[in-house]
Structures are given as structure tokens and as C-alpha cells.
Amino acid sequence: MNEHEVRSLISQVETAVSGAIDQALPALTGADSVVRRSEHADFQSNAALALAKRARIKPADLATTVIEVLRADGNNAPVAEVSVSGPGFLNLTVADAAIWGQVAARLASPRLGIGTSEQGRRTVIDYSAPNIAKEMHVGHLRTTIIGDALARLLGFLGAEVIRQNHVGDWGTQFGMLIQYLDEHADAAWHHDQLAPGTSTVPALDGLYRAARKEFDADPTFTDRARARVVALQAGDEVTVARWRDIVTESEFAFREVYDRLGVLLEPEDSAGESFYNDRLSDVVAELTAAGIAVESDGALVVYSQEVTGPDGNPVTLMVRKKDGGYGYDTTDLATIRYRIRDLKADRLLYVVDSRQALHFRLIFEAARRAGWLTDDIDITHVAFGTVLGPDGRPFKTRSGDTVKLVDLLDAAVDKARATVAEKDHDLTNDELSQIAEQAGIGAVKYADLSTSRTKDYVFDVDRMVSFAGNTGVYLQYAHTRICSILRKADDTSAEVDPTLPLHPAERALALELDTFGEVLAEVGRLLEPHRLCGHLYELAKAFTDFYEACPVLSADAPARANRLALCHLAARTLRQGLNLLGIAAPERM
Ligand code: ARG
């Protein structure tokens, strides 16, 4: 528990009910109190049903005893009323003063009273991982957005987050590209050769395609390109310098996309495939010595003990190819070993497309057999579904090419600009552009994060930037509305009077606000950001209901202050929530 932590009401109620159950049924001490939010009261517990069965007594009798214990002096904080309904459900209502108390306590805390459920857990997050000399495309959208949201959220919950950008910066394609550049000295790809402000990656991407074409068409070029790969891997000075140049140019372009997306990744987070190059032979030696990697047809492979292919044979990991080369599998074996041994990770997350599920399953299995990965280490392939085009198939351009990430972002920002401009506003052109950028980028991120991670979703810009429904723009707008109320109130004190009765709409909003920390902890455990999106959406709706039912600015003195406190807390919670999703919360739009 951190010094600013405010225990949520639900957890206080859980403690009270658990204590009462323990007293009523000493034989079953420590049973789960199963407290949930409820429509019939603030909370409901249905623990009595299952427990009575175990204790062979009537649920209603058990519930009655639990109530008696709860009603006895001092046992019930913060429960004000408790009753039985149905076969033995406990309906629990919390005291108004306790609810106001929570609002005041959260407002007084710089972190809204949120706990640090991930405290001290060293968590390595592998995300984004674009490929050098290629443009970032739609396939890098989800990993970048989800990975970054998790990095932010887990960091906020106290984890020691280490970001790892496993950039694709190594492999035979670089021999090909370098050879091609050498043979076409007039090809412009370096920023010195291009107009200022032009990204070099489209040029490199084009040259890479041209190189591939020549590679496939001209066998003599194929040979020269292969020789160049060998030179690169052998550390030939000129070749390595050229390669480094290409990497620098590409990383520069990635930076621009990251800045625009507001992603935390920094150059020092890049530990690309090349980083593992001189560790691969050790990895392979260790696996071979342990008898885990074995020879097969001149290559070294690991036969899975858990997964068989359609032919009934174990599927394999390619540890070393016949020609002595190492590939994607070997590099990922090295990532696990490095992250556990050198980075001393307690938790490893790989935020990568679900289509790589088998790859990670095999890598994890091998790492476990090698003894690198032990039971005290948590490892997860944080898999995600595909971004689909309007036709419901994996998103492609009209000509069938992969969609560039910047094009997607531009489309969303343009749409957002139009949507915001349509509204009645008094923004200057510059303000409008800035807000369009925040709304458009936020819309793309929110649409992605609010979809259950493993599902596919359709990239539908019109829906994303809509002011209605569960969208980023709706939440940003809800936040600006509260900001506008607070600006008009011009009162930052928001002193809470806990003796005031609660209006049902105030109650609903306050209880929703009180669960923010629980939701965050759950997202930290399950790695499912859509749960946070859902919560923020409920919060925004609860605020709307509250604002419709309870006048704020025109209310009289004590009620006005309490309502302003709710406004403050709602604005700060929305802002914090959006921030953890990596989404801007402008004050006007
Ligand atoms: N660069 C790869 C791609 O673009 C993704 C790498 C993901 N991370 C990993 N450790 N395998 O598909």
C-alpha cells in the first residue's frame, strides 16, 4: 500500500462481510465474500449460497447470522444497511458520509488514491518492433498502441517497466539492399540528398523493393547480395557503416511516427535483432549441450514436446539453419534469455500479433526446458487481432498494398478536423489544427484499445471520430465539458461536506469513480486495456446523468461545493485514465 492509497469502498465492504462470515462460520474461515456492485443496493454478496451448501445449513439462516454480526457495533464499516433478498443474497448499502469521504480522500491524493498493485515488479515489454528500411504500416499500429498503453499503466501501478523495441534490423535483406545501393550510387535515400523535412524511409522502401526485384531476376546480383550478407555478418567495416547509416535514417523516421503518436519509446529502448547477434552462438551452444536442440538434416532444431502438427509430428523451432545462419526463432530465444538473465525481469510481455501464437508458444516451451524461464517468472504473449478494411478483410490499399501507418493517422486527423469544425466553436485555426490532431490520434488509439484485444476490428474513421458512442472523441469531449463547468465555477477549493445527503445520480457517479483503481489493477493483471476504456465510458455516462439531474453552478452553498468536488474528481479521473491509454485530454474542443 502506498502512502496515498485510498481503499475502495468495495474492498472495505468485502473486508466487513468476510469478517462477518468468519464469525458466523468459523469452520470456513477465509472464504471469498463475493461482493459485487448491484442494482438493488450499492453492493451485493452472494457468498452465503455457496458457503451454506458447504456447511450444510440453509443459506437464509447463514445470511441472517451474517447480518446480525454485521449489525453488531463496529463490525460494519462502511455498511449502513444490510438486508437479505432471494434465497440468501446480502444487499449492502453504504453510508452517504462514507461515500463523500471517499471523494474527499481521492481528491486530496496526487494519485487519486490509486494503489500500486504492480509495485517493484520488473516488467519487460516488447512492442512496436518495426522493420528497418521499411515504412511502418498498419501491422505496427496495434502493437505500438497496446504496448505503450500497458507500459504507461503498469508503470503507474508501480512496476519497473523496461521497454524493448525489437526492431527488425538484421538479416539477408540488408545484404541485398546495401549491395543495391552500392551499385546504384545515384539513388537518393539519405537525408542529405533529399529535400529538408522529407522522410528517407519511403525512398529506402522503394529501393528495397527494387533490390528484391533484381535479386529475384538476376542470379549474378543474387550472388553479390549473398556475399554482402556474409560481409555484414563478418563485420566488414564498409558494409557495417552503410548498414548503420540505414538504421539511423530509419530510426529517425520511426521517431517522427512515435512523436506524433505520443508513444514513450526512445532510441535507447531499441534492442533490435542485431543486438542479439553475438549472443546467438551461446544460446545455441547452451541448448545443444542440454540436448534440447538436436540435429535434423544438417540444421539444428528443437522438437516441441507439447505441440504436434497436422501430420502428428512434433512441430519444430529452427535454431540454426543448414547454411549456419540464424533466424527469427533463434533471436527470440535470445530475447528471453537476455531479459531474464541480464535484465532480471519478473514479467515478460511480448505484444505481438496473434498470428505468431505458435512461435511464442514454442519459444516459451524451449526457454522453460532450458531452465531460463522458471515458475516465478510470468511470461505472456500479449496477442492481438487484425485491423480490417471496410470490406472486412485485412486492411490493404485499393491497389492491394499494405497501408502506411501515417496515411491512417492522416485520414483520422482530417476527419476529426471536419467533425470538430462542424460544432459550434470559437477556436482559431491553429487551435483547431492542434485539437484535430489530438482528437484524430486519440480516436485511432481509442478505437484500437477499446476493442477486446484478441478480436479483429474494422478501421472505420467515421465511427472513430464520432462524438457519440464509446469513442475517444466522446471521452475527450466529456472531459472538456467538465473543464468548462470548472472554469465557470472558478472555485478550486471544492471542500466536501460529508453530512449532506447523496442524490442517486451523485451516488452512482461517486461509486463509479471509486472503482477506478480496481479497474486499473485488473487491467494490470489481465493486460486488457479495453476494460479501462469501458470504465471511462461508464464514468462519462454517469457524469452526464449526474449533470442532468443535479445542477452544479446554480446550486446553493454546501451542495454546490460537493458537486464541484465530484466534477473535479471526474475530470481528474478521466484525464488520468486517458493519459494511461496514451490519449490527450484537451481542455477545449
Ligand atoms: N519485427 C517483427 C514484425 O514486424 C515483430 C517482432 C516482434 N517481437 C519479437 N520479439 N518477436 O513482424
Side-chain angles (χ1 to χ4, degrees), residues 166 272-274 276 280 326-336:
H166 192 72
E273 294 178 17
S274 66
Y276 296 96
L280 300 180
Y326 303 117
Y328 191 62
D329 289 354
T330 324
T331 311
D332 258 332
L333 287 166
T335 63
I336 298 202

Side-chain angles (χ1 to χ4, degrees), residues 106-175:
R106 291 196 182 281
L107 268 181
S109 154
R111 29 185 304 126
L112 302 167
I114 306 304
T116 42
S117 52
E118 299 289 326
Q119 185 63 46
R121 206 166 178 200
R122 189 172 293 185
T123 304
V124 172
I125 312 186
D126 181 315
Y127 71 103
S128 195
N131 300 315
I132 296 294
K134 292 194 197 153
E135 290 207 70
M136 286 183 79
H137 57 77
V138 57
H140 298 113
L141 182 71
R142 302 208 69 188
T143 168
T144 306
I145 293 175
I146 297 169
D148 206 59
L150 293 176
R152 287 164 181 270
L153 186 124
L154 295 172
F156 181 68
L157 294 178
E160 207 186 309
V161 172
I162 302 178
R163 298 179 296 266
Q164 293 278 281
N165 195 352
H166 192 72
V167 184
D169 62 357
W170 203 242
T172 49
Q173 70 271 29
F174 291 99

